[in-house]
Amino acid sequence: MGYSFEKLPQLIDMRGKLPRKGEYVDLGVNSKTVRVWHHSLTKSNLAGSTAEAFGRFHVNTNGWPGVGYHFVIEPHNLIKGPDGRMRARIIWCHNPGVKSFHVGNSNKFSVGICVAGDYRSEKLNDATLLTVSEFHAALVRDKIGKDDKAHNQMPGYSWKPCCVFDYKAAFFFNKPVNVSKPTPLPGTYDIQEGDTFWSLANELKDITVQDLIAANPGVNPQNLKIGQTIKLGKSKNVYTRPYETPKKPQNEYKYPLPLVTIGKGKKNPKQEVLKLQKALNAINYKCGVEDGIWGPKTEDALKRFQEVYTPYEVDRILGPNTRRQLQAVLKSKGH
Ligand SMILES: [Zn+2]
């Protein structure tokens, strides 16, 4: 016997077909008590607002085993039902009992449903409202979870702008119920399961990964521990200060960085490679003798740096992203 939600015409079963690099554990559907509603904070009509794209981001950038949500609703990918009405697609990503990453310490007992879109500025379209109401009714019939909550109603997440649409109104269409608004961003935050600097920054448009790195020296972004306290609100603009006095010219830094793109397969002028070697050695990504020659040791040190700070771009080239991270790390070490 399958679930009743499987009979919805707008359901697409993509279990096992989305990007992944490991397995989440399946604790069985009875482990789930809460249905947690998310939005993606990416505009719903963009190419990146699909389950496939979220999967790629969660795996390649966040380093998670697979997409964090159990279901993703795609408001711009429509399917016509047998009654002729248009419905938004539901992408089925994981069995309901899977313990995936979407609400930190509550992952074990929560099913994650993400409606693609940024509902701080967008409105749910009719096809999406119809899908949310039909899908919710089916989950209730199937006894998958007992209660519904917005992401920011889960413990520790009151500051998250997720989901900001009125999910309860969507269940019932005409009976709006207000959802609690997110509270201000706390200065510090205790790491929950599945959190990464990239996933935190991604849901907060005014805090960047570089801010988190710069504000939390001594914290290894690749090795966050559950319960570890990091600066969150307090990291705002620590790296990207918009109204700061003009940036120092590179030659006033202790470790000025190369002014051109260097690295694997590039022309590598000696004086520029030398700058990179000095910077890498200064932050303990040892690359051997500082001789200005692009060789295996320098390449390996840059690769190790990228694996930690730009895991979405390990190309052994010092381009704009890697350069920005390197500058942030140097700054966090007082250089
Ligand atoms: Zn969320």
Side-chain angles (χ1 to χ4, degrees), residues 183-202:
T183 56
L185 196 61
T188 61
Y189 168 73
D190 294 340
I191 293 297
Q192 298 199 23
E193 186 182 29
D195 285 335
T196 64
F197 276 5
W198 291 269
S199 70
L200 291 169
N202 190 51

Side-chain angles (χ1 to χ4, degrees), residues 39 41-44 117-124 164:
H39 72 152
L41 266 182
T42 55
K43 290 264 187 256
S44 62
D118 180 353
Y119 297 98
R120 295 171 308 173
S121 55
E122 297 183 76
K123 286 219 173 349
L124 294 172
V164 290

